[in-house]
Amino acid sequence: MNCQKFALLIAFCIASAFAQAYPTYNVDRPYTLRYLDYSPLLYRYHDITAGSAPQTFFYPQIDSAYRQKKDSSSLLFWHAEDGRAMLNISPVLAWDIRGGEQFGDTIKGYEGGLFMSGYIDSAEFWLDARIFSEGRSEKEHKKWKSWDREFIEKQGNKDNQGSGALKEVDYSSYARYRGHIAMRMGWAVLDFARDVAHWGPGYYNNLTLNQGAVPYNQITLSTKIGPLSVVSLYADLDPGSHSMRKDVSRNLYGHRYELELGDLTLGISEITVVYDINPYWLFVPIVPLFAEKGNYSEDNNNGAIAFDFSYRLPFGLRLYSEFFLDDMESPTSLLRNDNIEAKWAGMIGAEYAGNFGAWKVGSIAEYARIEPYVYTHFKPNTAQIAHLNYPIGSQAGPNSLAIDWLVYARNAKHFQMQLKQGWLWKGNDGGEINEPTPTHNHHSTEKHFLDGAKMQYTLTPAIAYMNRHYAISAEYSFFDRNAFCARAMFLW
């Protein structure tokens, strides 16, 4: 086995052809389905802060620059002579080892699949689909956890009693995919995807929709009229704790309105989560969700609205903030902030981005406060602002205080280093996504922000090298959230 791993790494080091470009500016993937680019959204934000990219903050976002590519060294590449179509197919292979005290296991993972991209006329697409197989150090299969928080299947020998119970589990296996197929209609782009949405100017702590969420199926309609961008979103969320679907449904509707005014960008994001109903009218971009949600029972819907801004200063500086309002009794009760009806969150951040020859160097610092019961609802597994029991907004969840500080550097898109520090406080009262919001006397029930919270400090250095066909990376988190991941990936 060691010889096979060594031979695989040698094959990575002699590869020399360009990796394929995605038709979208993508969000980062901290779990499965990582690609050659270790953190694409981070460096998209770097270009925004440095002034070389427009200040737009809704991702993934369609990028048609790859249409200009006329040749490729991938396994299969075809380009129509008239330029009306292109098809690219590449196999993907990867090996990693991950785990740590926080995870309670050490996992050796193997994955293989296909990456496809292309276009025909006004339709553009990409698909990244892979099969995973994992060996575990933990022998008791009931203690196995899913690293990426989706469903995993446990494989092994059956017992001799005919019950079908697993007697000896050898490995876990599962399949994952992300992809987009977008239709350009001149005045708008209609995108069908399995991915996560990331709305707002923050990198770690966007409060409305966050790249750290578990991927979900979605449809977006994006339009741009002068300086105004309008994005309408529909998503299929799962109210359960894993991907084995139930008969009930949870659906997300969202709109983002973004106004670019030179170095200043103003944004409004509004979302409504509906449970066991699906009013398709909410997808229409002109429908104000904060007004329309009043037409449905409170037991079946949960809405929120957020306001954000980003301002670029000279010398590669950017300041930004987001204010998220989940619920309130009245504006005065929001100012008093003394009971659980005042459900809100706030985030402020700053980024520095500098270009020094072949090096891109920068730093991001963010502070986020989320009040108790934000994202929650009256009954468990109903209209929570969550997917598979994880928030679709900030991953810190309700009743939390988070501070994140990142320093990063990348050389000519190949070698990059990161050093991240994180401080997290998590309160006990109203701090779980499925903890029901009290339905009686909730206007007078006091809330206890960070009650019983202890500081969790994490230091995570990471290093990665990306060549034209391969990537090798390693990261280790120390102190209170001990975890590690070393990875090698090949794309032909």
Side-chain angles (χ1 to χ4, degrees):
M1 182 62 70
N2 290 333
C3 293
Q4 293 177 350
K5 295 175 184 176
F6 180 75
L8 183 60
L9 289 174
I10 293 297
F12 291 163
C13 295
I14 62 175
S16 61
F18 267 123
Q20 305 309 315
Y22 285 79
T24 52
Y25 296 113
N26 288 299
V27 296
D28 296 346
R29 301 179 188 173
Y31 299 102
T32 50
L33 291 176
R34 293 189 180 189
Y35 23 43
L36 292 178
D37 193 341
Y38 185 78
S39 47
L41 187 62
L42 173 62
Y43 288 95
R44 176 66 176 175
Y45 272 37
H46 177 99
D47 293 340
I48 289 174
T49 303
S52 57
Q55 280 205 100
T56 56
F57 298 106
F58 50 92
Y59 293 92
Q61 194 175 121
I62 300 299
D63 171 28
S64 296
Y66 82 109
R67 281 177 173 259
Q68 308 306 316
K69 198 169 188 177
K70 304 301 181 184
D71 57 12
S72 173
S73 55
S74 59
L75 179 64
L76 176 60
F77 181 82
W78 174 81
H79 192 277
E81 293 183 0
D82 59 5
R84 292 182 56 249
M86 182 270 281
L87 176 64
N88 177 88
I89 301 178
S90 297
V92 178
L93 297 173
W95 171 84
D96 62 24
I97 181 170
R98 43 191 150 82
E101 293 179 5
Q102 181 192 12
F103 198 71
D105 204 349
T106 298
I107 302 171
K108 295 180 180 179
Y110 304 86
E111 63 193 75
L114 287 176
F115 167 70
M116 304 173 59
S117 66
Y119 65 87
I120 179 168
D121 294 329
S122 60
E124 303 169 352
F125 70 91
W126 67 260
L127 172 65
D128 187 350
R130 308 183 204 175
I131 296 175
F132 296 77
S133 178
E134 298 176 341
R136 304 271 181 146
S137 64
E138 170 59 55
K139 300 305 181 183
E140 187 175 346
H141 71 272
K142 292 182 179 180
K143 295 182 179 180
W144 287 8
K145 298 179 181 179
S146 171
W147 188 55
D148 64 356
R149 303 163 296 175
E150 295 187 66
F151 174 75
I152 59 173
E153 186 173 354
K154 304 174 180 67
Q155 306 288 350
N157 300 323
K158 304 293 184 180
D159 63 16
N160 297 321
Q161 307 301 320
S163 64
L166 291 173
K167 181 180 180 182
E168 181 183 350
V169 177
D170 300 317
Y171 65 94
S172 63
S173 65
Y174 51 91
R176 301 286 188 262
Y177 76 96
R178 293 199 195 193
H180 290 250
I181 180 167
M183 314 296 294
R184 288 191 171 272
M185 299 178 290
W187 58 277
V189 177
L190 182 63
D191 184 22
F192 301 85
R194 178 173 178 81
D195 213 328
V196 293
H198 189 76
W199 287 3
Y203 181 70
Y204 287 111
N205 294 288
N206 278 4
L207 302 170
T208 309
L209 296 176
N210 192 292
Q211 64 174 334
V214 182
Y216 41 82
N217 302 330
Q218 59 183 270
I219 303 172
T220 60
L221 179 68
S222 306
T223 62
K224 186 172 180 62
I225 306 173
L228 177 65
S229 296
V230 180
V231 183
S232 188
L233 167 73
Y234 162 76
D236 180 23
L237 305 180
D238 194 326
S241 59
H242 53 73
S243 297
M244 304 299 287
R245 300 308 299 260
K246 309 294 190 301
D247 293 333
V248 295
S249 65
R250 177 189 292 169
N251 299 282
L252 167 71
Y253 290 91
H255 299 149
R256 177 163 176 82
Y257 309 94
E258 197 169 270
L259 187 63
E260 296 179 57
L261 302 172
D263 289 327
L264 174 65
T265 293
L266 303 175
I268 299 176
S269 300
E270 56 173 356
I271 58 174
T272 294
V273 173
V274 290
Y275 172 74
D276 214 21
I277 59 174
N278 198 3
Y280 305 109
W281 176 251
L282 299 180
F283 185 73
V284 178
I286 63 168
V287 175
L289 298 181
F290 69 92
E292 181 68 15
K293 74 178 293 291
N295 294 324
Y296 306 97
S297 167
E298 284 290 333
D299 290 336
N300 295 93
N301 82 92
N302 191 4
I305 188 169
F307 307 88
D308 60 76
F309 80 90
S310 173
Y311 186 68
R312 279 193 300 220
L313 298 165
F315 312 112
L317 295 175
R318 183 171 68 92
L319 302 178
Y320 53 90
S321 182
E322 181 182 10
F323 178 76
F324 178 90
L325 182 59
D326 191 341
D327 203 356
M328 68 175 182
E329 180 185 1
S330 66
T332 56
S333 67
L334 192 65
L335 293 174
R336 291 196 306 269
N337 196 37
D338 57 358
N339 63 68
I340 62 173
E341 187 68 6
K343 297 194 296 183
W344 60 273
M347 181 270 292
I348 58 174
E351 180 175 9
Y352 165 74
N355 298 323
F356 304 94
W359 285 92
K360 291 185 175 183
V361 178
S363 181
I364 294 176
E366 291 183 0
Y367 168 96
R369 170 176 174 149
I370 306 176
E371 292 292 306
Y373 295 103
V374 171
Y375 305 135
T376 68
H377 204 51
F378 302 131
K379 298 179 181 179
N381 300 314
T382 54
Q384 283 74 18
I385 304 177
H387 176 52
L388 292 173
N389 280 350
Y390 289 90
I392 57 176
S394 171
Q395 297 302 287
N399 201 353
S400 64
L401 179 66
I403 301 174
D404 295 286
W405 181 26
L406 172 72
V407 178
Y408 63 86
R410 182 169 75 174
N411 176 265
K413 296 186 177 181
H414 294 301
F415 180 74
Q416 59 179 283
M417 302 172 291
Q418 297 182 11
L419 181 63
K420 179 182 181 294
Q421 296 185 78
W423 296 263
L424 176 66
W425 292 263
K426 184 75 173 174
N428 297 325
D429 185 18
E432 299 298 327
I433 197 68
N434 257 325
E435 186 173 348
T437 304
T439 56
H440 300 289
N441 301 321
H442 55 281
H443 297 287
S444 58
T445 303
E446 294 183 358
K447 61 180 177 180
H448 306 282
F449 181 61
L450 299 186
D451 186 36
K454 296 181 180 180
M455 186 187 74
Q456 302 176 44
Y457 173 71
T458 307
L459 176 68
T460 306
I463 188 170
Y465 182 81
M466 302 170 296
N467 210 322
R468 296 173 178 179
H469 255 323
Y470 70 90
I472 302 174
S473 63
E475 60 192 67
Y476 203 115
S477 296
F478 296 92
F479 303 111
D480 292 320
R481 310 185 92 183
N482 182 273
F484 64 88
C485 178
R487 177 175 175 81
M489 176 180 174
F490 177 69
L491 174 72
W492 181 11

